[in-house]
């Protein structure tokens, strides 16, 4: 089984989740290529049996390049075993941590020509010390508005790694 895992990340949490998915798929006997969204454009999707895409949110949006990629390749993606997950801090809230209840997943499904077979939502990570002044200020304000952590000296990981494992195992069983 040839599996392609594509990621769109800003601060690295989506990559960390994709690396975990890669490990799970390899343990299931799959040959896995892990690439950025930009690198995926140079590949032939037809060469893969399975495609999984993970994408993060920043300021309420997936990157425009994500939509360009999936809309350009949706016909090929539809012929593969496929899945998509989004990573966002809103998913730290119990009522917004499923594909059906997460506003960013729902927006993705509305704006995308591709309708993935398998969907998941993972809570992300806030790493205030890593951000520049603007991002740190904006993210802190958003967290204040949504009752999240605002200590700019802290790093707050919300990712449920057991949920990551469960999705990775489900994806690898197809």
């Amino acid at each position: 089984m040839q599996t392609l895992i594509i990621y769109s990340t800003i601060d690295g949490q989506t990559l960390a989740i994709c690396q975990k998915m890669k490990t799970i798929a390899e343990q299931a006997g799959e040959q896995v290529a892990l690439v950025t969204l930009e690198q995926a454009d140079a590949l032939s999707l037809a060469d893969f049996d399975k495609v999984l895409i993970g994408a993060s949110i920043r300021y309420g949006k997936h990157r425009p390049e994500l939509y360009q990629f999936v809309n350009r390749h949706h016909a090929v993606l539809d012929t593969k075993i496929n899945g998509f997950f989004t990573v966002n801090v809103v998913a730290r809230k119990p009522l917004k941590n499923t594909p059906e209840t997460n506003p960013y997943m729902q927006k993705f499904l509305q704006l995308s020509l591709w309708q993935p077979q398998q969907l998941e939502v993972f809570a992300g990570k806030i790493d205030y010390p890593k951000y520049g002044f603007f991002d740190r200020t904006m993210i802190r304000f958003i967290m204040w508005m949504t009752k999240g952590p605002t200590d700019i000296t802290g790093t707050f990981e919300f990712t449920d790694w057991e949920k990551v494992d469960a999705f990775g195992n489900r994806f690898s069983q197809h």
Side-chain angles (χ1 to χ4, degrees), residues 10-147:
I10 296 167
D11 297 313
Q13 191 69 0
T14 303
L15 172 58
I17 292 168
C18 285
Q19 288 169 329
K20 181 66 173 167
M21 298 287 175
K22 180 179 189 278
T23 299
I24 292 168
E26 288 173 340
Q27 289 171 345
E30 299 175 25
Q31 298 293 311
V32 182
L34 174 63
V35 300
T36 65
L37 189 58
E38 295 75 20
Q39 292 168 329
D41 254 336
L43 299 175
S44 170
L45 297 183
D47 295 342
F48 296 90
D49 304 299
K50 299 168 75 171
V51 179
L52 177 63
I53 301 176
S56 64
I57 290 290
R58 177 58 66 86
Y59 303 131
K61 297 184 176 178
H62 288 106
R63 291 173 49 215
E65 296 85 353
L66 172 67
Y67 292 106
Q68 292 163 8
F69 181 86
V70 299
N71 289 340
R72 187 168 50 252
H73 298 290
H74 72 93
V76 177
L77 289 168
D78 287 341
T79 68
K80 308 294 176 187
I81 297 167
N82 67 70
F84 174 74
F85 66 87
T86 184
V87 179
N88 55 82
V89 178
V90 166
R92 77 189 188 282
K93 297 184 173 196
L95 298 178
K96 297 196 176 172
N97 68 359
T98 69
E100 298 77 26
T101 62
N102 186 270
Y104 303 121
M105 178 62 82
Q106 290 305 305
K107 188 172 184 182
F108 173 82
L109 293 172
Q110 289 169 4
L111 296 175
S112 171
L113 296 175
W114 176 47
Q115 298 298 296
Q117 297 162 350
Q118 298 180 53
L119 301 171
E120 192 53 89
V121 175
F122 301 115
K125 176 179 174 180
I126 294 174
D127 191 354
Y128 285 112
K130 188 176 175 181
Y131 305 144
F133 175 78
F134 177 78
D135 285 334
R136 185 170 44 248
T137 303
M138 291 301 292
I139 292 169
R140 185 177 192 211
F141 178 69
I142 293 165
M143 286 298 102
W144 177 76
M145 300 265 309
T146 62
K147 298 180 175 38

